[in-house]
Amino acid sequence: EEMKVGLRSREIKMGVEHGMRGDGRVGEEDEEDTVAARVYRECSESVLKVEAICEAKRILGRGGGVGGLGLGGDREDGGNGAMMPTKVASGSAFMWDSEGHAVTSAHVVAHARELRATFAACGADDRLFYTATLVGADEHRDIAVLHLTPPAHLTASQRASLPPLPKPLPRRTSSQLRVGHRLFTLGHPFGFETTLTCGIVSGLRRELATSSRARPLFNVIQTDAAQNPGSSGGPVLDSKGRVAGMSCAIASPSGAFAGISFALPIDTIETAVSEILQLGRVRVPYVGLAFAPEALAHRLGIESGLLVLHARPGGPAAKVGVRGTMRVASRGAEPRLQMGDVLVKVDRMAVSKVDDLYRQLEGKVVGEMVTLRLSRDGKTYDVTIQLEDAPKVSNDGSNHHIKFAPRALLPHARL
């Protein structure tokens, strides 16, 4: 009898652990289900679908496809074809503050003529949407800030029927995330309505290099929560419904989700958004140097460090006398190649590739002082420079005055 009682006690204990009620039947919800349901209930209203629309084109189809748009190739036509606004991107966003600002991925809204944002309360009525204006973007970190307002063409009665903007989502610090912590993502993959996925923190401080940008993303969160095209810009939340990051990319050989996805940490986003709201842009610290590709430097006998090809006139490095590579004319002989300085260290950290320099600059701000160790004619010397705001940043986030060698890339896809 005692053995039977003991077995029954263990059965009850196991039943509780597996979500069974005291009567042996499976309970309606276990703790994990309850957390996921609460996160969706409390946060989904504040997640937006963003549609980016390019210039309208007059299209005449060839090949007899659906609606006259054939698969053989569409062309613009000056005749009587229909004007068709073309969607160039669709992604997700989330409410940032009560002033009508939302945050999304910069690549979602790049090159858009018109931006529209909707959320759950807008329903299926195509007339109910908010106009989104780009406040500014950090192309290096793939972050953009939008300002949402009712469309200008709405009448007073239509404006009254437009649902109010959702509340902003609470935020936490990402510095306290640990591998194994539970995460939830919300977004609009493939244009579907708000979708919840669950996972854990699989890794921290990842560096993400993609073929579409020169500068890697640093301190990225890795998770196994499912993300797909359209998820970019959606919030990554902890079990209390606080934003811990923003969906940005997946690692996949095919472009479809393969179990590894990435999110920008909220601490990085906070810094960028704060500067965008103050200045309309993000100031990017730079040193004003262009470097030789690694293969070329090796052919010239440079085994370690970065060979300086060019120091931008008036830039931080040029002001302290850093020398670039140049051809020097000599009387009665062919011009000879004068090697430039070789950057060996930045603030006592060795650099062997340009990503090492980017990594050192990641935590710096414009106006901060950094020490460069350089080698010239076999001798090393140190100079201290003041970082300045990069004068121009390309659409892919690369600095025109920091060049680097092509590198092998893992197959990452932006969403």
Side-chain angles (χ1 to χ4, degrees):
E1 183 66 31
E2 290 179 357
M3 183 179 293
K4 290 182 179 179
V5 171
L7 288 172
R8 179 59 179 163
S9 299
R10 285 195 294 273
E11 288 171 0
I12 292 174
K13 183 179 179 182
M14 290 176 65
V16 171
E17 290 176 347
H18 291 277
M20 296 177 64
R21 303 189 313 194
D23 57 7
R25 290 183 294 168
V26 178
E28 292 183 0
E29 293 180 322
D30 60 23
E31 182 178 353
E32 187 173 316
D33 291 336
T34 303
V35 171
R38 177 176 52 78
V39 169
Y40 183 85
R41 182 177 65 252
E42 294 179 356
C43 303
S44 60
E45 287 283 344
S46 299
V47 179
L48 315 174
K49 179 191 291 186
V50 177
E51 292 181 335
I53 302 173
C54 73
E55 292 291 340
K57 297 180 180 179
R58 194 175 299 277
I59 304 294
L60 178 64
R62 296 182 298 172
V66 177
L69 298 180
L71 298 178
D74 301 326
R75 61 184 175 86
E76 296 181 39
D77 187 85
N80 297 320
M83 294 295 290
M84 301 186 63
T86 304
K87 294 177 184 177
V88 295
S90 177
S92 306
F94 61 97
M95 293 302 301
W96 185 261
D97 58 27
S98 57
E99 305 299 318
H101 294 110
V103 172
T104 186
S105 297
H107 73 263
V108 169
V109 299
H111 312 301
R113 175 184 62 84
E114 180 183 352
L115 294 168
R116 297 181 179 183
T118 57
F119 45 94
C122 294
D125 191 339
D126 292 339
R127 298 170 298 178
L128 298 181
F129 63 87
Y130 276 78
T131 296
T133 304
L134 181 63
V135 178
D138 182 349
E139 291 89 355
H140 286 295
R141 299 176 184 86
D142 200 18
I143 299 166
V145 178
L146 307 176
H147 186 239
L148 309 181
T149 55
H153 67 271
L154 292 184
T155 64
S157 60
Q158 290 173 330
R159 213 173 264 260
S161 65
L162 192 65
L165 288 172
K167 63 181 181 181
L169 289 174
R171 303 186 289 273
R172 57 163 292 163
T173 178
S174 51
S175 63
Q176 296 178 359
L177 283 177
R178 298 292 181 266
V179 172
H181 281 182
R182 196 73 177 160
L183 292 177
F184 303 87
T185 76
L186 286 169
H188 296 270
F190 300 113
F192 287 118
E193 297 308 312
T194 309
T195 301
L196 173 73
T197 65
C198 308
I200 61 170
V201 177
S202 305
L204 294 167
R205 294 178 291 279
R206 298 293 193 238
E207 293 186 9
L208 188 61
T210 69
S211 58
S212 58
R213 64 176 57 249
R215 178 179 295 205
L217 296 174
F218 294 99
N219 300 317
V220 176
I221 302 165
Q222 179 185 328
T223 175
D224 63 348
Q227 297 180 26
N228 284 289
S231 297
S232 270
V236 176
L237 307 149
D238 66 8
S239 58
K240 295 183 179 179
R242 300 174 299 180
V243 180
M246 180 174 70
S247 300
C248 65
I250 58 175
S252 171
S254 64
F257 179 66
I260 298 178
S261 57
F262 301 99
L264 294 175
I266 190 61
D267 293 353
T268 297
I269 299 170
E270 289 259 17
T271 301
V273 171
S274 175
E275 197 159 11
I276 289 171
L277 291 178
Q278 291 178 21
L279 305 174
R281 65 186 185 93
V282 170
R283 297 187 300 169
V284 180
Y286 92 122
V287 296
L289 294 173
F291 300 101
E294 293 176 30
L296 174 60
H298 289 162
R299 286 200 299 270
L300 294 174
I302 307 299
E303 298 299 329
S304 62
L306 297 172
L307 174 62
V308 177
L309 284 183
H310 176 69
R312 177 180 172 83
K319 289 177 181 177
V320 295
V322 177
R323 188 179 75 186
T325 302
M326 65 187 75
R327 291 190 179 276
V328 179
S330 56
R331 184 178 300 176
E334 291 291 326
R336 64 181 181 85
L337 186 68
Q338 178 178 281
M339 301 286 283
D341 293 339
V342 177
L343 179 63
V344 179
K345 291 184 178 181
V346 178
D347 283 345
R348 294 178 293 184
M349 295 297 293
V351 295
S352 59
K353 52 186 179 181
V354 77
D355 285 358
D356 297 332
L357 174 58
Y358 286 142
R359 192 177 300 110
Q360 287 301 108
L361 295 180
E362 178 67 15
K364 307 293 185 182
V365 297
V366 172
E368 193 168 346
M369 308 298 290
V370 297
T371 300
L372 307 181
R373 173 161 294 180
L374 300 115
S375 173
R376 179 186 296 179
D377 300 327
K379 298 180 181 179
T380 59
Y381 70 101
D382 292 345
V383 295
T384 300
I385 66 171
Q386 185 174 32
L387 296 174
E388 297 180 6
D389 189 9
K392 185 177 181 181
V393 176
S394 68
N395 290 333
D396 67 356
S398 63
N399 191 310
H400 286 297
H401 307 296
I402 299 180
K403 304 298 183 183
F404 64 99
R407 56 173 176 259
L409 297 173
L410 290 174
H412 295 122
R414 296 188 304 186
L415 304 172

